[in-house]
Amino acid sequence: MQQRETTASVFKYVDWFTIVLYIILVMLGMVSIYAASYDFDHANMLSFAEFSGKQFRWIGLSLALGLVILLIDVRVYENYAYVIYAGLLLLLLVTIFIAPDTKGSHSWLVFGPMSLQPAEFGKFATALCLAKLFSSYNFSLNASNKNYVRVLTVIFLPVILIIGQNETGSALVYLSLFFVLYREGMSGLVLLAAFCAVVFFVVAVKFTDSTLLGIPTGEAAVFIMIMVLIVAMLAVYCKEMNAARNVALWFIATGLLAGGLGFVGLQLPGTIFFIGTIAVALGYCILLIFKTRAKKLLITVGTAVVSIVFLFSVNYTFTSVLKEHQQMRIKVALGIEEDLQGVGYNVNQSKIAVGSGGLWGKGFLNGTQTKLKYVPEQHTDFIFCTIGEEEGFIGSSIVLLLFVILILRILSIAERQPTVFGRVYAYCVASYFIFHISINIGMVIGLCPVIGIPLPFFSYGGSSLWGFTFLLFILLRIDASRRERSF
């Protein structure tokens, strides 16, 4: 018989180390917001009318919220996971129609002086739903294609609704949940495909000024990478060393032929040359499929074909699907264009602020870039530039170290869970944190396009703080129950 947990037992078994980390990060975030919004012309910066004062109120409410979450019976999160998920989906749908226009998006619900963004709360609801689905009786991701459909439906429903609110950045966060699927048995080929897609897109878009064999250098480079991918998959994935050697020799021979013809003044049409060369190699692989019946060879052929189709779709996607400001953000991030007075202004000023901090920083409240308000949104999405300017490389490294410790702690909690529900939920939480921290800091220092996602516990805003509080404290509640439950 399972015993009902008492309040005392919850606080006895809760992971206090993680709670201390949470409090430290939240307090550092409070100090950073105070520094980012400080105005020497106003002495009382802790007024609730100022950003720092408002954040102090949000922090107090978050601590109370965390306490309430810990006191709720853990079975509520398991038994009502689908209900919570459905409720958040309904809220996300309603938000599209009733939320006011805020900088082009309809993602904020206004309640008098307070505004909330439902997309932030959809994260923990989706994590609970995924955990509940994976913990279903006899559920295995690879047991049936229907299970993949069910899992992807859970992930993409909130993505679609959030995109409908014109909040692309918040929607992209949910794609980090694919790391959870990998932990639960999804083939590594999916992550390889995602990695290749990103690399192919970046290379094809970035290197367009010069040509090779009459086509843009970026396009030619992607064709060459596809050739390398085919050889690597034949050798490593299919274990067909002879086939890998033969295909590699074919690619080298045709490359030398193209180079020799170019040397004597004859230039082959690039697209036809690359497609023809790869087609012959794939034809050879297809012959091997009929001979060996190896399904992995078929996957290799399919991967190559999809890669070529994806390459041809890159130009259309970039020029026709993405909006002009999104194109410009990518160009600025890739160094294709600067646009220092337009789209690239925020990133440029942020990089100046971070770089000017040096090793030790300029000191608390002494950052010139932040105090003179050169960096827009420096108290929200660009809060890390304040840390970099005032606390320098040392202070920034300490903040990053604290985040790394938190993520490693969450992963440790995940691996000690005795239930699939607890493990999957914990990995969802870790995935969200990794994505937010990597992308936010990446865009502040110019490594990623600006997509507008907050830095956990540091960026100003109650929705973000509450959302991450929900995520973390539900995990702590699940973890605290593991010692008292019989399985």
Side-chain angles (χ1 to χ4, degrees):
M1 177 73 68
Q2 181 176 340
Q3 297 180 350
R4 180 173 294 275
E5 299 140 328
T6 64
T7 301
S9 67
V10 170
F11 289 103
K12 177 181 178 181
Y13 294 119
V14 74
D15 193 291
W16 285 103
F17 180 80
T18 303
I19 292 180
V20 170
L21 272 178
Y22 166 84
I23 294 174
I24 291 174
L25 287 168
V26 166
M27 291 298 104
L28 289 177
M30 172 67 193
V31 172
S32 298
I33 293 172
Y34 179 85
S37 58
Y38 188 81
D39 189 342
F40 288 105
D41 294 331
H42 298 83
N44 185 17
M45 290 299 293
L46 283 178
S47 168
F48 286 144
E50 307 292 344
F51 289 127
S52 55
K54 292 178 181 178
Q55 190 69 7
F56 185 79
R57 178 185 60 192
W58 287 119
I59 290 173
L61 293 173
S62 295
L63 292 174
L65 177 63
L67 177 62
V68 172
I69 293 172
L70 291 179
L71 295 178
I72 295 176
D73 192 317
V74 70
R75 288 168 291 187
V76 171
Y77 303 119
E78 295 186 45
N79 295 339
Y80 294 96
Y82 291 146
V83 176
I84 295 172
Y85 176 75
L88 261 297
L89 286 182
L90 180 61
L91 182 60
L92 289 173
L93 178 62
V94 170
T95 301
I96 299 175
F97 301 101
I98 68 173
D101 189 310
T102 305
K103 297 182 180 180
S105 70
H106 297 267
S107 58
W108 292 86
L109 296 178
V110 180
F111 304 95
M114 182 175 67
S115 298
L116 291 176
Q117 188 177 24
E120 293 293 337
F121 306 116
K123 295 172 189 174
F124 83 87
T126 305
L128 285 174
C129 187
L130 271 184
K132 180 67 174 179
L133 179 59
F134 273 98
S135 64
S136 302
Y137 177 73
N138 210 26
F139 182 91
S140 175
L141 186 62
N142 296 315
S144 169
N145 290 332
K146 291 182 179 180
N147 289 343
Y148 272 98
V149 173
R150 294 165 68 187
V151 168
L152 293 178
T153 300
V154 170
I155 294 175
F156 279 103
L157 279 178
V159 170
I160 294 170
L161 293 176
I162 294 172
I163 290 177
Q165 300 172 4
N166 201 21
E167 276 289 337
T168 307
S170 298
L172 289 176
V173 173
Y174 289 79
L175 300 184
S176 65
L177 295 175
F178 276 85
F179 291 108
V180 181
L181 306 190
Y182 177 70
R183 171 60 180 82
E184 295 302 316
M186 183 182 72
S187 172
L189 288 176
V190 178
L191 292 183
L192 175 63
F195 174 78
C196 289
V198 173
V199 173
F200 292 168
F201 183 88
V202 170
V203 173
V205 170
K206 182 174 177 61
F207 301 101
T208 56
D209 294 336
S210 59
T211 60
L212 178 64
L213 295 179
I215 61 176
T217 302
E219 185 176 323
V222 173
F223 273 122
I224 294 173
M225 285 189 284
I226 293 174
M227 293 178 177
V228 174
L229 178 64
I230 293 172
V231 174
M233 290 189 68
L234 287 174
V236 179
Y237 178 64
C238 300
K239 307 296 183 184
E240 296 283 350
M241 299 304 297
N242 289 334
R245 180 197 61 201
N246 294 337
V247 171
L249 289 174
W250 165 249
F251 288 152
I252 293 172
T254 54
L256 291 174
L257 175 63
L261 292 175
F263 182 76
V264 299
L266 298 175
Q267 181 171 296
L268 296 173
T271 302
I272 296 176
F273 165 74
F274 282 116
I275 292 180
T277 300
I278 295 174
V280 171
L282 296 183
Y284 170 69
C285 292
I286 291 173
L287 291 177
L288 288 178
I289 293 173
F290 286 109
K291 181 179 179 180
T292 63
R293 304 293 181 181
K295 293 183 179 180
K296 290 185 176 181
L297 285 170
L298 182 60
I299 293 176
T300 301
V301 172
T303 300
V305 172
V306 171
S307 297
I308 295 173
V309 173
F310 176 80
L311 172 60
F312 287 131
S313 70
V314 166
N315 183 63
Y316 171 78
T317 301
F318 188 75
T319 58
S320 303
V321 176
L322 296 180
K323 297 179 181 178
E324 185 175 351
H325 72 278
Q326 294 172 328
Q327 296 177 26
M328 187 59 66
R329 287 178 178 178
I330 293 175
K331 290 180 179 179
V332 169
L334 296 179
I336 300 174
E337 296 188 23
E338 289 189 342
D339 193 22
L340 300 182
Q341 299 302 318
V343 172
Y345 177 81
N346 287 24
V347 175
N348 183 58
Q349 293 299 325
S350 176
K351 290 164 66 177
I352 292 173
V354 173
S356 66
L359 181 63
W360 296 102
K362 297 178 179 178
F364 185 59
L365 301 182
N366 290 326
T368 54
Q369 290 292 115
T370 52
K371 295 302 161 291
L372 296 177
K373 312 300 181 185
Y374 281 113
V375 184
E377 309 298 334
Q378 62 188 16
H379 62 292
T380 55
D381 296 342
F382 284 84
I383 188 68
F384 191 75
C385 73
T386 301
I387 302 170
E389 184 179 27
E390 297 191 353
E391 310 306 327
F393 177 80
I394 300 298
S396 300
S397 298
I398 291 174
V399 171
L400 286 175
L401 179 61
L402 289 172
F403 275 127
V404 169
I405 294 173
L406 176 63
I407 292 171
L408 292 177
R409 189 66 174 183
I410 293 172
L411 293 175
S412 175
I413 292 173
E415 289 301 326
R416 73 189 185 196
Q417 295 306 303
T419 65
V420 175
F421 181 87
R423 184 181 70 240
V424 171
Y425 181 82
Y427 270 98
C428 288
V429 175
S431 298
Y432 286 136
F433 273 100
I434 292 171
F435 188 90
H436 267 271
I437 295 165
S438 302
I439 299 301
N440 180 274
I441 295 178
M443 76 181 189
V444 168
I445 61 179
L447 296 180
C448 299
V450 178
I451 61 174
I453 62 172
L455 183 64
F457 309 132
F458 278 79
S459 294
Y460 168 79
S463 295
S464 173
L465 183 57
W466 278 19
F468 284 108
T469 299
F470 268 112
L471 280 169
L472 194 58
F473 277 81
I474 290 176
L475 172 60
L476 294 176
R477 183 65 187 88
I478 294 171
D479 180 62
S481 68
R482 78 186 191 281
R483 300 184 186 179
E484 300 187 19
R485 305 177 67 178
S486 56
F487 299 90

